Amino acid sequence: MKKKVNVCNIAEKNTLIFTIIVSVFFMCFSLNSHSYTLDSPSTWMQVPLNKIDELNKKDPALALAFSKSLLNEHKQKMTDIDKASLFSKMAQHNYILGHYNISQGYLDQAYALKVDLTTDVGISLLLTQGGIMDELGRSEQAMERYSLAAKYAKENENSRLLADSYSYMAYSYSINHKDTQALKFYHQAYLQLEQIGDELGLAYLKAEMANAYSLTFDDINAIKLAKEASDYFNKHQYYFDELFIQNVLAKIYLRKKDYQKAEITYLRVIEITKQTNKKEYIYLAYLGLANTYHHSQQHDKARVFWHKYQEQHPLYENPSAEIGAIVLEAKLALSDNNIPAAIDILARTEAILKPLGMQNALSWYVQLFDLQAQVAVIQRDFQTAYFKQKQARALQKDYYNAERETIRSKYKVIFDTDQAILTNKLLEQDKALNKAALENSIQQQQLQNMIIIIILLCVLVLCYFIYRQILNSKALQKIANTDTLTELANRRYSFIYAEKMLLQAIKAKQAFSVVIFDVDHFKRVNDNFGHAGGDIALKELASTANEYVRSHDILGRIGGEEFLLILPEESATQAYEIAERIRHAIEHKVMTIQGQSLQITASFGIAELTEQQDSFNQLFNSADMALYQAKDQGRNQVVMAS
C-alpha cells in the first residue's frame, strides 16, 4: 500500500536574482497543474522505492532498515516528493510492525511537506493514518480516511490502492462486528486484485478474509482461505507473512474448540520464528498455547506458557491489543482461586475497554461480565452476580459469537445455584417450612419460565443466524457475478456461462452464437463529459441493449466499453438480426448527460459454432476479429465472422 515545489520569494536583492527566481517559478509551475505540488518521485528514486517494496514482501523490518539507510545517505539530493514517498512507506512498515507512535511520526513529517492527498502517495498516507486510528479505537475517523482514499483511488483509476482501501474498510467493519459489510468490502477488494492479477495481494486478502469468515461461523471457508494463503507464503518464502497467517489459523481452530490442531499450529508458529530469527514474535505462540491449554483444562501447561509469554511480550503501544492477554490472566487467576488478583486484573481490563466504547468491544465486555459474575459468586455476592448476568444477556442480543450459548448456559447454572443457596438461607433463617415450600415453588416456576424463554431465544437466534447466512450467501454470489456499474453479468460469469451453454449446444447439436460489441469513439465521451459521464453512457447503453435479450441469453460487460452477448440456439443469421436491432436502438437512443444531449453508436462482431470452431476461445477470437473489421469498415455496423 501503499508534493511540493520550491516556493520562490520574488522580493530579492537585485534584478538578476529576481529574474532567475521568476524563471524557476514558472518552470516549476509548468511541471504540474497544482501550484505547490509535484506528481511523482524523481526518476533516480524509483529504483530504491521498488527495492523497498520487494524487501517488504519478505519482511517489513528489512524494508524499514533499507529505508532508513536510504534517507541518511541521500537526504540532501531528495526532493520533497521523494521524502514524502519514503516517509509514507516507513510509516506503513512501522504500522505493520505495530509501532504506531513511530508510524505517526513519519506521517506527520510527510504531511508537513504538503503532500497532495489525491496522489498515490497521499492515498497511502490516508490508509496508514486510518489504520492507526482503527487500532486506537477511533473507527469513525478511520472510516473517513478510508472513504477519501477509495474516492481518490477511483479517480486515479488505481486498482491496487482501491483494493487496499476496500481491504482497510473491511477490516474496520470486521473489528466492529459488522460482518456482512466486512465481507462485502473484502470481496470488492478481491475483485480488484483478481482483475490486475496480484497474487501476493490476494494472499494477503485471503489471510484477512479467513478471520472474517471465522467470526461468521463459516469455519470451512475460513480454514480453506487461511491454508491457501499459508501455502502461497511458504512456497514463495515469505516467512514473515506465513508466521502471522499460521497465528490466524490457530485462532480459528481455537474458536471452533479444535484444541489439538490449535496446539499443532501454534507450535508451527514457534518453529517459524526460530527458522527466520524472528523470536520477537514468539510471544504470539506462547499466548496462544496458554489460551489453548487453559480452554482444554490443562492448567499446568497453560501456566508454563503464560510465564513464557510474560517474559517475551512487547510493551504494547495500543493498550487494547493486550486485552486478550489480560482476560486470560484473569481466567488463570480464577483457576488458581486467587480472587484479589482476579479483581485487580478485571479492573484493569475495564479501564482499557472504557475508552473503546461498548459497541466496539462487545465480545470483550461479555467475557468481562462473565468473569465478574464468577468472582461475585465466589464472594457470595449473588445480587452483583445476577446483575452482571443481566448485562451480559443484554449484550448478547447485539453480538452472536461462537461462545454465546456456552456463556448463556454458564450464566444459567450460576443463577440456578445462586437461587438455591439463597433459598436455603431463607429456610435456615425463617424455619417456616410451609412458607419456604411456597417460595421454593415460586422459584421453580420462575426457573421453568426462564428456561422456556432461554430456549425460545436460542431458537430465534438460530433462525436469525440461518437467515443472515442465506442473505450473505446470496449477496456474495451476486457481488461475485455482477458488474457493479451496469448490473450486467461480469466478465468471469459471462465466460463461465458461455462455456457451459456451448457444451450443451455441442452435445445437443444445436446452434450457438456470440456477439461482441463496443462503443465507437468512447474516449470522446470521457473527454467531453468525464469518467462520471462515461459511466452514465455505459449504463444507458446496457439498459437499452438488455431490452433485446431473452431470458436464457446473457448480456455481460467484459471490458471498459466492451460487451458480450451469448445466444444459445441461435444461428449467425438470427444473431445478426438481434445485433442489428440492438445497434439501431443504441444509434437512436438520446441520452442526457450533464444537461447535454448525447447519441452514441456501437460496432458488432458475430461468430457461430461450426465444426471448425467448436471452442469458446475460437468463437470469441472470431467475433473479436469481426468486431475489428466492423471498426475498420467505418463503425456503427454488424459484421459476421467469415
Side-chain angles (χ1 to χ4, degrees):
M1 292 171 287
K2 313 269 159 287
K3 282 181 167 193
K4 171 176 175 186
V5 167
N6 297 323
V7 179
C8 304
N9 184 357
I10 299 178
E12 291 291 345
K13 295 180 180 179
N14 53 56
T15 305
L16 179 60
I17 296 177
F18 174 82
T19 304
I20 293 172
I21 291 174
V22 171
S23 300
V24 172
F25 176 83
F26 279 101
M27 186 183 298
C28 294
F29 185 86
S30 66
L31 293 176
N32 197 319
S33 60
H34 300 285
S35 300
Y36 298 99
T37 57
L38 288 175
D39 282 329
S40 58
S42 305
T43 304
W44 74 269
M45 206 43 194
Q46 294 296 338
V47 173
L49 288 177
N50 290 338
K51 182 174 180 180
I52 290 171
D53 291 338
E54 288 302 313
L55 288 172
N56 183 46
K57 293 177 183 178
K58 293 290 184 183
D59 188 340
L62 295 176
L64 187 59
F66 180 80
S67 300
K68 290 178 180 178
S69 175
L70 179 66
L71 183 64
N72 291 334
E73 293 176 11
H74 300 287
K75 186 174 183 179
Q76 297 304 318
K77 66 184 288 190
M78 290 182 184
T79 65
D80 285 347
I81 191 64
D82 293 340
K83 294 175 186 174
S85 300
L86 191 58
F87 290 150
S88 172
K89 291 185 180 296
M90 294 171 80
Q92 180 193 9
H93 300 147
N94 276 289
Y95 165 70
I96 293 171
L97 294 168
H99 306 151
Y100 305 129
N101 290 332
I102 299 174
S103 178
Q104 185 62 56
Y106 284 117
L107 289 176
D108 293 339
Q109 290 185 68
Y111 288 139
L113 296 171
K114 296 183 174 62
V115 176
D116 183 352
L117 295 181
T118 65
T119 62
D120 290 353
V121 174
I123 295 169
S124 294
L125 292 174
L126 286 171
L127 292 175
T128 305
Q129 182 74 77
I132 294 172
M133 289 175 170
D134 249 338
E135 295 296 338
L136 299 179
R138 293 151 56 192
S139 294
E140 290 184 8
Q141 293 171 281
M143 192 59 70
E144 292 175 4
R145 303 305 192 279
Y146 302 150
S147 298
L148 269 180
K151 175 187 173 185
Y152 297 148
K154 284 182 182 177
E155 292 173 356
N156 296 349
E157 297 184 352
N158 190 323
S159 297
R160 169 74 258 184
L161 286 175
L162 183 57
D164 288 341
S165 303
Y166 288 151
S167 178
Y168 273 95
M169 288 180 179
Y171 174 75
S172 185
Y173 281 124
S174 181
I175 62 177
N176 286 291
H177 316 298
K178 297 176 182 177
D179 304 325
T180 303
Q181 285 291 89
L183 288 174
K184 172 185 173 183
F185 279 97
Y186 273 132
H187 279 268
Q188 287 192 15
Y190 193 95
L191 293 175
Q192 293 293 326
L193 293 172
E194 192 175 43
Q195 184 177 355
I196 62 178
D198 186 348
E199 293 185 355
L200 178 59
L202 287 170
Y204 290 144
L205 198 64
K206 286 177 181 179
E208 294 183 44
M209 292 174 70
N211 191 57
Y213 273 112
S214 175
L215 292 173
T216 56
F217 314 104
D218 191 348
D219 293 322
I220 294 175
N221 270 323
I223 293 170
K224 174 178 174 289
L225 289 169
K227 286 184 174 179
E228 286 177 1
S230 178
D231 290 344
Y232 180 89
F233 294 142
N234 184 271
K235 177 182 177 181
H236 293 83
Q237 298 182 341
Y238 297 150
Y239 297 121
F240 178 85
D241 298 307
E242 187 190 358
L243 187 154
F244 284 95
I245 187 57
Q246 287 291 332
N247 189 57
V248 170
L249 183 59
K251 286 183 178 180
I252 295 171
Y253 287 134
L254 187 55
R255 283 193 192 108
K256 65 184 300 236
K257 300 181 181 179
D258 192 339
Y259 302 125
Q260 185 177 5
K261 287 184 178 179
E263 178 186 17
I264 293 170
T265 310
Y266 278 125
L267 291 174
R268 170 61 181 156
V269 174
I270 293 175
E271 182 184 340
I272 296 172
T273 60
K274 292 178 178 178
Q275 285 177 348
T276 58
N277 198 27
K278 288 291 177 185
K279 294 184 180 179
E280 65 268 29
Y281 296 108
I282 203 168
Y283 74 91
L284 295 171
Y286 289 159
L287 179 61
L289 286 168
N291 223 339
T292 301
Y293 291 134
H294 171 73
H295 281 89
S296 60
Q297 304 298 313
Q298 300 180 66
H299 297 302
D300 290 340
K301 284 188 176 181
R303 292 184 190 93
V304 168
F305 281 96
W306 171 252
H307 291 309
K308 288 186 176 184
Y309 163 77
Q310 287 183 309
E311 294 171 358
Q312 296 287 338
H313 79 85
L315 295 174
Y316 293 95
E317 293 184 28
N318 173 11
S320 63
E322 199 177 2
I323 290 177
I326 297 175
V327 169
L328 176 59
E329 185 180 8
K331 291 177 180 178
L332 293 173
L334 280 174
S335 67
D336 290 337
N337 206 28
N338 190 345
I339 305 307
I343 293 172
D344 179 65
I345 295 165
L346 292 176
R348 279 194 288 134
T349 305
E350 200 161 15
I352 292 172
L353 288 174
K354 189 173 182 181
L356 300 179
M358 190 170 290
Q359 289 303 314
N360 293 330
L362 289 173
S363 60
W364 292 120
Y365 269 103
V366 169
Q367 292 191 58
L368 173 65
F369 295 153
D370 179 25
L371 294 171
Q372 288 176 334
Q374 289 186 42
V375 170
V377 168
I378 293 172
Q379 294 181 320
R380 309 179 76 80
D381 183 355
F382 306 117
Q383 184 176 0
T384 299
Y386 183 62
F387 174 71
K388 291 297 179 182
Q389 294 161 18
K390 288 184 66 176
Q391 284 184 296
R393 287 195 186 93
L395 290 186
Q396 288 166 354
K397 293 179 182 179
D398 297 324
Y399 183 78
Y400 304 101
N401 68 354
E403 295 181 354
R404 183 175 189 269
E405 299 309 321
T406 303
I407 294 170
R408 182 195 294 279
S409 300
K410 188 184 297 182
Y411 282 168
K412 181 187 179 304
V413 171
I414 294 173
F415 178 76
D416 290 351
T417 304
D418 295 350
Q419 296 305 306
I421 293 172
L422 289 172
T423 300
N424 288 335
K425 284 189 175 183
L426 289 173
L427 287 171
E428 292 175 1
Q429 292 171 358
D430 296 339
K431 302 294 184 182
L433 295 178
N434 291 334
K435 184 178 179 180
L438 179 61
E439 290 178 351
N440 186 56
S441 176
I442 293 172
Q443 294 287 345
Q444 289 297 327
Q445 185 61 48
Q446 289 175 342
L447 288 175
Q448 290 174 6
N449 292 340
M450 182 174 292
I451 291 170
I452 292 171
I453 292 170
I454 289 173
I455 292 172
L456 289 174
L457 283 174
C458 290
V459 172
L460 286 174
V461 168
L462 181 60
C463 291
Y464 172 76
F465 172 70
I466 294 171
Y467 174 71
R468 188 176 70 170
Q469 290 295 92
I470 293 171
L471 290 182
N472 285 347
S473 178
K474 290 181 177 179
L476 291 176
Q477 187 176 12
K478 184 176 180 182
I479 290 169
N481 296 333
T482 305
D483 175 60
T484 54
L485 175 64
T486 62
E487 296 185 357
L488 299 177
N490 60 18
R491 181 184 183 92
R492 184 185 70 86
Y493 183 75
S494 298
F495 282 22
I496 291 172
Y497 184 80
E499 294 276 9
K500 176 183 176 183
M501 299 309 294
L502 177 60
L503 289 175
Q504 290 183 12
I506 293 172
K507 200 171 185 179
K509 297 183 178 180
Q510 295 175 335
F512 181 86
S513 299
V514 296
V515 181
I516 301 176
F517 64 96
D518 72 1
V519 183
D520 296 330
H521 303 298
F522 187 68
K523 185 175 183 300
R524 296 177 186 173
V525 178
N526 282 333
D527 291 343
N528 294 332
F529 298 95
H531 289 290
D535 288 348
I536 294 171
L538 288 175
K539 289 169 71 174
E540 291 277 358
L541 180 146
S543 177
T544 301
N546 208 31
E547 294 176 5
Y548 298 91
V549 176
R550 301 168 304 173
S551 60
H552 62 284
D553 299 336
I554 282 290
L555 175 60
R557 181 186 178 206
I558 59 173
E561 68 271 18
E562 191 172 14
F563 298 83
L564 173 65
L565 177 58
I566 302 159
L567 298 171
E569 302 178 16
E570 297 287 358
S571 67
T573 304
Q574 293 167 317
Y576 184 90
E577 294 175 1
I578 295 171
E580 269 294 329
R581 286 197 288 269
I582 295 174
R583 185 196 65 76
H584 185 269
I586 292 172
E587 181 183 12
H588 291 85
K589 173 72 175 180
V590 180
M591 306 175 187
T592 302
I593 301 176
Q594 299 173 6
Q596 300 181 45
S597 296
L598 171 68
Q599 285 183 275
I600 59 177
T601 61
S603 300
F604 295 71
I606 299 173
E608 72 172 328
L609 172 65
T610 65
E611 291 182 359
Q612 292 75 30
Q613 292 188 142
D614 59 357
S615 74
F616 176 67
N617 284 338
Q618 290 175 317
L619 287 177
F620 185 85
N621 290 333
S622 295
D624 201 35
M625 291 175 64
L627 169 62
Y628 278 107
Q629 188 178 347
K631 295 283 188 182
D632 291 340
Q633 293 175 1
R635 296 183 168 83
N636 191 23
Q637 57 186 279
V638 181
V639 173
M640 288 193 296
S642 56

